[in-house]
Amino acid sequence: MEKIILASGSPRRKELLEQIKMVFRVEKAEGEERITSGVPSEVVKELSAQKAQEVADRCDGTVIIGADTVVAAEGQILGKPKDREDALRMLRLIQGKEHQVITGVTVILKEKKKTIRFAEVTKVYVYPMTEGQIESYADSEEPMDKAGAYGIQGRFAAYVSGIEGDYNNVVGLPVGRLYQEVLAEGVDLLSAGRKENTQ
């Protein structure tokens, strides 16, 4: 039976997979991230592949899922903020404007000797924010472990005017596309985990 591993320590990705009742375990990738591209969609695919491969090399899973999310705004790639000042800089950059949230996903199907790799893009529109609102949000600690310094599923929802695309992608993982892409290769991520669990 398939053993599904999520190669990510993100609590939000874990919650999204639990939401669709997938049975899996988490093995966080620990390696250093190496970026060779300046194109956001290529960067996230590259980083997701590095995470998936590292975990695949040391774990017994048959399906390994790696993911990486960035925000692209004003021609810049925004990852997780380094500190409060960095969070403020990112929030000032995205307030009142549209930006893109891009998640790269790599799925290694060991038994089929296949790798699926794609990037999902969602546009997010943010209301204008005052400096006070930006500082107050930065002080909430919520931005610190999130690409682009915000979480759409948290307090920042008050400033989001709309999105185009997959909401779950903004949270951290496009679960619908993930499921469909893997299903197209003959692996049902929902029944795979459940069968393994009942044995």
Side-chain angles (χ1 to χ4, degrees):
M1 274 305 110
E2 308 290 359
K3 281 189 188 164
I4 304 168
I5 296 178
L6 173 63
S8 169
S10 161
R12 290 162 295 282
R13 291 191 185 116
K14 180 173 180 282
E15 281 165 18
L16 286 166
L17 293 184
E18 286 170 346
Q19 183 183 313
I20 62 167
K21 305 293 185 234
M22 193 186 294
V23 176
F24 63 98
R25 75 174 202 263
V26 171
E27 290 285 350
K28 191 176 174 212
E30 305 288 356
E32 197 178 326
E33 297 181 344
R34 296 175 306 283
I35 300 172
T36 61
S37 173
V39 181
S41 59
E42 291 306 313
V43 168
V44 289
K45 284 195 282 189
E46 205 171 357
L47 293 176
S48 72
Q50 288 171 21
K51 291 177 182 179
Q53 194 58 58
E54 184 212 312
V55 171
D57 289 344
R58 63 178 162 86
C59 292
D60 62 348
T62 52
V63 178
I64 292 86
I65 301 165
D68 194 82
T69 302
V70 297
V71 166
E74 307 276 301
Q76 295 183 43
I77 295 176
L78 309 181
K80 295 174 185 174
K82 294 190 285 291
D83 51 32
R84 183 178 181 274
E85 279 311 306
D86 202 24
L88 289 170
R89 175 185 69 82
M90 293 183 187
L91 292 165
R92 289 177 188 130
L93 198 62
I94 64 171
Q95 68 86 24
K97 301 190 199 84
E98 165 210 324
H99 63 270
Q100 294 182 319
V101 177
I102 306 154
T103 300
V105 178
T106 299
V107 184
I108 296 173
L109 302 172
K110 275 193 187 172
E111 288 180 353
K112 290 183 176 281
K113 294 188 167 42
K114 275 207 162 162
T115 299
I116 301 164
R117 200 197 282 197
F118 64 87
E120 183 73 17
V121 181
T122 304
K123 283 185 183 174
V124 181
Y125 300 86
V126 180
Y127 284 111
M129 296 171 72
T130 65
E131 188 59 24
Q133 288 169 333
I134 289 170
E135 294 206 4
S136 171
Y137 183 70
D139 287 338
S140 73
E141 293 297 311
E142 199 176 273
M144 296 321 293
D145 67 336
K146 297 173 185 72
Y150 76 91
I152 196 169
Q153 73 284 15
R155 286 176 57 172
F156 198 78
Y159 304 111
V160 175
S161 65
I163 71 165
E164 272 176 49
D166 183 350
Y167 171 83
N168 290 328
N169 188 49
V170 186
V171 179
L173 193 65
V175 285
R177 183 164 175 197
L178 166 67
Y179 177 73
Q180 298 298 333
E181 294 265 0
V182 178
L183 192 61
E185 295 297 340
V187 177
D188 186 330
L189 290 173
L190 298 185
S191 63
R194 275 203 287 274
K195 280 179 199 154
E196 177 201 329
N197 224 27
T198 55
Q199 285 185 349

